[in-house]
Amino acid sequence: MAKQRNEIEEKYTWDLSTIFPTDEAFETELAQVSEELKNASNLAGHLLDSAESLLTTTEIQLDLMRRIEKLYSYAHMKNDQDTRVAKYQEYQAKGMTIYSEFGQTFAFYEPEFMEITEDQYQAFLAEKPELQTYQHYFDKLLQKKEHILTQREEELLAGAGEIFGAASETFAILDNADIVFPVVHNEKGEEVQLTHGNYISLVESKNREVRKEAYEALYSVYKQYQHTYAKTLQTNVKVQNYNAKVRKFSSAREAALSANFIPESVYDSLVSAVDKHLPLLQRYIDLRAKILGISDLKMYDLYTPLSETDYKFTYEEALAKSQEVLAILGEDLSRVKTAFSERWIDVYENQGKRSGAYSGGSYDTNAFMLLNWQDTLDNLFTLVHETGHSMHSSYTRETQPYVYGDYSIFLAEIASTTNENILTEKLLEEVEDDATRFAILNHFLDGFRGTVFRQTQFAEFEHAIHKADQEGQVLTSEFLNELYADLNEKYYGLKKEDNPQIQYEWARIPHFYYNYYVFQYSTGFAAASALAEKIVHGSQEDKDKYLDYLKAGNSDYPLNVIKKAGVDMEKEDYLNAAFAVFERRLDEFEALVEKLGLV
């Protein structure tokens, strides 16, 4: 049974008092921002009165958004640490509300800005040199011109922001706070309450009965609530399709990718490349069955490590190993040490805590991390992964002004998975015995499978359900189950009739509410594979280019930022290079299997 929040040692909890010292300070700032938003409404209609007016309004808008992001960071992290607490549920709701109020207040901004002529634009830049800081920001806005609506229409959409987000919020509360999983047995035969946090360790068990019981228990609950989950997901898809339609995009995918100036061909290239390399995945799955000595491999057998080596790390050992590995970047490790020592990390699971892991915060906060720590090799990789996000955020915020002080979602997964790839390279360099090498290769192959192959499977499913809804198909649980089961069989080569529970997996994936986010895990991992190769085996110039990428934020278009670091993501080369690494390590793994006499 997971502990209650108040039973966790303080040093293993994040220190949100660095954002606001007290809840009262949060409430005071919330009230102040709300009042300033009301006053800002009189800016409407005057944006292009003069260069001074454009500068002043832009700075007021950005300043208020900066403060709202800080408010929301505090509210949602307070809520995530125990989603059962009504007070922080309310804070999160208020955070969403003030985002909506901001959207309504400044709904005039983009429509008014789109009225600027080229002559007026150049004259304003010349008259007010301070505006040149915002030139890339303005240029990006102008590229969206055909998708900006009238001020009244923008106000209506902004006002509906909370309603549009309701499906995602409902999913989060249902999945994290309301759902209760059955009691199952661990490897010692003890009864344990199944939770999101311990599910992974149970399904990784060497005991097949333990993982089978956990797997079937988990999906029995999703089967029970499949119709509710289908309704929330369908509603979310309808919102994204509706927004795309009213903004004159051909599809929700085009709308989502255009936000980061990514052509849809990048998405299609990924799916195509993965599809061509599915035989590699199935070769690994077949090898897994042989090593486990299982003639009827099931989906719940895909997660147990094949290694007999108990390669584990305590949290403290993982902190030390992470610092040792990341020293290769050649920079002062002060950011990493600060994150690890000054309570940026919420470490252990507690009852009601949000599942999974993430790096969060805003421009004016620490780059906090949420974990649900277990003493496994996988959790070491999770720590290094989230540290990659947090260091990316820290470098960007220290280097860029607020207007460029974040980075595109498209680039978000690259720093994190570059860290993972560096860790794999370093572990393989330092281990000498075959058994430990086997464990690391096993972890890499499973990680690649879970990131590149699995997330592309998710991406295919996500695009298919958006297209189906756009074409008038009702996204019933039956439709979603069948679609997901077919895709799963295509990827893994395991018959859907033999794995009936997997058809409900779509119901538990929060990323389907993130609007075409998942494909970026796959493209990010593939790009990271290329970058890690350069960092570990390349020159100092390669490392410097990578650090420049971490510092670039939104100061340039995402594809340009990563291209300067040495990866052209408009070509398939980086994807094929990643699959070449997978195949090379699969070859080595197969040789080790034979050498160790495991089949």
Side-chain angles (χ1 to χ4, degrees), residues 384-434:
V384 165
H385 177 104
E386 300 305 339
T387 301
H389 283 308
S390 288
M391 294 309 101
H392 193 185
S393 298
S394 295
Y395 271 114
T396 296
R397 292 165 190 168
E398 289 168 20
T399 309
Q400 298 296 334
Y402 171 73
V403 67
Y404 307 127
D406 197 2
Y407 41 81
S408 149
I409 293 225
F410 182 71
L411 299 182
E413 295 303 328
I414 295 177
S416 54
T417 43
T418 296
N419 272 14
E420 287 192 56
N421 278 278
I422 292 171
L423 175 58
T424 298
E425 292 267 5
K426 298 303 287 181
L427 291 176
L428 287 172
E429 267 183 24
E430 67 188 34
V431 299
E432 295 177 0
D433 65 291
D434 287 340

Side-chain angles (χ1 to χ4, degrees), residues 357-590:
Y358 67 70
S359 168
S362 70
Y363 189 81
D364 293 307
T365 77
N366 296 326
F368 291 99
M369 292 174 252
L370 178 139
L371 305 174
N372 281 275
W373 183 265
Q374 309 277 331
D375 290 344
T376 63
L377 178 63
D378 190 57
N379 273 242
L380 167 63
F381 274 87
T382 299
L383 173 63
V384 165
H385 177 104
E386 300 305 339
T387 301
H389 283 308
S390 288
M391 294 309 101
H392 193 185
S393 298
S394 295
Y395 271 114
T396 296
R397 292 165 190 168
E398 289 168 20
T399 309
Q400 298 296 334
Y402 171 73
V403 67
Y404 307 127
D406 197 2
Y407 41 81
S408 149
I409 293 225
F410 182 71
L411 299 182
E413 295 303 328
I414 295 177
S416 54
T417 43
T418 296
N419 272 14
E420 287 192 56
N421 278 278
I422 292 171
L423 175 58
T424 298
E425 292 267 5
K426 298 303 287 181
L427 291 176
L428 287 172
E429 267 183 24
E430 67 188 34
V431 299
E432 295 177 0
D433 65 291
D434 287 340
T436 306
R437 191 170 192 83
F438 178 93
I440 296 163
L441 286 168
N442 175 201
H443 185 274
F444 168 78
L445 294 169
D446 279 342
F448 193 104
R449 184 205 72 205
T451 305
V452 178
F453 287 111
R454 179 173 165 81
Q455 299 298 332
T456 305
Q457 176 191 350
F458 287 173
E460 276 207 69
F461 176 78
E462 181 176 24
H463 190 45
I465 61 177
H466 280 81
K467 285 204 300 184
D469 175 73
Q470 195 174 19
E471 292 163 5
Q473 172 69 50
V474 179
L475 303 185
T476 62
S477 60
E478 183 180 3
F479 175 84
L480 296 168
N481 293 343
E482 186 175 349
L483 173 63
Y484 196 87
D486 287 342
L487 264 177
N488 198 77
E489 183 174 313
K490 169 188 157 185
Y491 270 71
Y492 295 98
L494 300 177
K495 291 189 178 302
K496 61 184 179 182
E497 293 81 9
D498 297 335
N499 295 275
Q501 290 86 7
I502 201 64
Q503 67 183 309
Y504 307 113
E505 186 175 43
W506 59 266
R508 63 182 283 254
I509 308 301
H511 294 78
F512 291 147
Y513 295 83
Y514 293 4
N515 196 12
Y516 282 91
Y517 188 102
V518 288
F519 88 98
Q520 295 158 133
Y521 284 113
S522 304
T523 54
F525 191 98
S529 178
L531 287 169
E533 192 83 9
K534 291 172 184 286
I535 291 165
V536 175
H537 303 294
S539 64
Q540 183 59 46
E541 184 184 1
D542 290 319
K543 294 175 187 176
D544 291 342
K545 284 181 177 179
Y546 179 71
L547 291 170
D548 287 342
Y549 147 72
L550 293 181
K551 297 171 184 175
N554 276 325
S555 62
D556 199 352
Y557 296 105
L559 288 175
N560 291 344
V561 169
I562 195 63
K563 196 170 185 178
K564 289 174 190 172
V567 180
D568 186 346
M569 295 183 74
E570 290 190 89
K571 296 179 179 175
E572 255 192 55
D573 297 358
Y574 80 102
L575 294 164
N576 294 328
F579 286 113
V581 172
F582 181 84
E583 187 167 16
R584 186 173 77 238
R585 289 188 175 153
L586 180 56
D587 290 343
E588 183 182 351
F589 190 64
E590 287 172 332

